[in-house]
Amino acid sequence: KAGVTQTPRYLIKTRGQQVTLSCSPISGHRSVSWYQQTPGQGLQFLFEYFSETQRNKGNFPGRFSGRQFSNSRSEMNVSTLELGDSALYLCASSLGESLHEQFFGPGTRLTVL
Amino acid sequence: AQKITQTQPGMFVQEKEAVTLDCTYDTSDPSYGLFWYKQPSSGEMIFLIYQGSYDQQNATEGRYSLNFQKARKSANLVISASQLGDSAMYFCAMSRYNFNKFYFGSGTKLNVKP
């Protein structure tokens, strides 16, 4: 069974631009979560989508948004990029019902110049 | 709110020895799950082990075991017979039972010496 895939793996953007990251979950998984990892703040939860609906949300500004498609693939968008948005963005998928381990993708490393 | 604390920023262990990575948590929910993940330098998070709050037995997965002490709110990871490939960052995480929202600790960097 294929794992979680994320594209692109690396991105370089400049301040003010916007970016879209993509995540394909493990087949059969209906939940996709997004995390931001930085050296200073560690791993922080952004949001979770389940069956195309945002089910949980972290404490990030509205510049961070996401969506999930009917095939469970998810995209995350960051608008008006700031230097502080430079981070490793990790996507995780799980079955979604009750509580299950999350399986992570390799991440997208975003650098904002 | 949920909080995870890992007090060991870095640790060294000799190859083939056992090592314990500490994790304490804080929650008022009676139903929750505790997880450990390994993150090698490549960046990908690898799931290691899971413990449910109502599980009576400590979880084990191969060389990994979770020392769950509910009253003390601790969920330490024990790695037996350390290998060089175990050198990585290790994260403890928790989630409430019906909320797929993981809270992570700050991590412990484990270095296995030959």
Side-chain angles (χ1 to χ4, degrees):
Chain A
K1 187 184 273 191
V4 179
T5 59
Q6 290 186 246
T7 56
R9 293 291 312 277
Y10 302 91
L11 264 179
I12 299 176
K13 293 285 187 179
T14 56
R15 280 180 296 173
Q17 288 186 309
Q18 77 164 22
V19 66
T20 299
L21 312 181
S22 179
C23 171
S24 293
I26 292 170
S27 177
H29 285 191
R30 296 163 63 191
S31 168
V32 174
S33 297
W34 289 90
Y35 295 85
Q36 182 196 64
Q37 186 176 25
T38 60
Q41 299 298 318
L43 275 151
Q44 296 186 88
F45 173 81
L46 280 153
F47 31 65
E48 182 226 1
Y49 286 87
F50 179 78
S51 294
E52 301 179 66
T53 300
Q54 188 181 87
R55 190 165 64 169
N56 287 295
K57 189 176 186 306
N59 297 321
F60 278 81
R63 300 186 297 107
F64 292 82
S65 63
R67 59 178 176 170
Q68 187 180 34
F69 302 95
S70 57
N71 61 358
S72 292
R73 190 178 71 84
S74 177
E75 287 182 347
M76 188 192 95
N77 185 76
V78 187
S79 62
T80 319
L81 284 166
E82 301 177 359
L83 295 178
D85 297 334
S86 294
L88 179 66
Y89 289 88
L90 292 161
C91 162
S93 81
S94 70
L95 288 169
E97 291 90 11
S98 65
L99 184 59
H100 292 275
E101 60 270 26
Q102 295 186 344
F103 295 91
F104 285 78
T108 294
R109 187 164 295 280
L110 172 65
T111 302
V112 182
L113 302 177
Chain B
Q2 280 46 244
K3 187 178 179 183
I4 294 279
T5 303
Q6 295 179 254
T7 58
Q8 307 153 312
M11 288 189 71
F12 285 91
V13 65
Q14 202 70 37
E15 192 178 10
K16 299 180 185 176
E17 290 186 349
V19 63
T20 298
L21 307 183
D22 294 341
C23 172
T24 57
Y25 60 93
D26 188 23
T27 182
S28 56
D29 289 291
S31 302
Y32 52 89
L34 296 154
F35 305 80
W36 277 92
Y37 285 84
K38 171 184 177 181
Q39 187 178 42
S41 56
S42 60
E44 187 164 352
M45 298 281 282
I46 302 167
F47 167 72
L48 296 177
I49 197 167
Y50 161 77
Q51 179 86 40
S53 60
Y54 292 117
D55 293 342
Q56 297 296 314
Q57 305 250 1
N58 285 342
T60 60
E61 287 287 349
R63 295 186 299 110
Y64 304 107
S65 60
L66 200 153
N67 184 1
F68 181 47
Q69 297 187 46
K70 194 171 182 178
R72 297 179 64 179
K73 294 189 174 179
S74 75
N76 298 339
L77 176 70
V78 180
I79 305 175
S80 63
S82 297
Q83 302 171 356
L84 295 178
D86 293 336
S87 293
M89 283 290 288
Y90 288 81
F91 291 94
C92 179
M94 74 172 294
S95 181
R96 293 162 62 187
Y97 192 69
N98 282 322
F99 287 81
N100 210 20
K101 177 179 179 178
F102 281 36
Y103 294 86
F104 284 85
S106 54
T108 295
K109 185 171 175 59
L110 178 67
N111 284 290
V112 181
K113 298 185 293 183

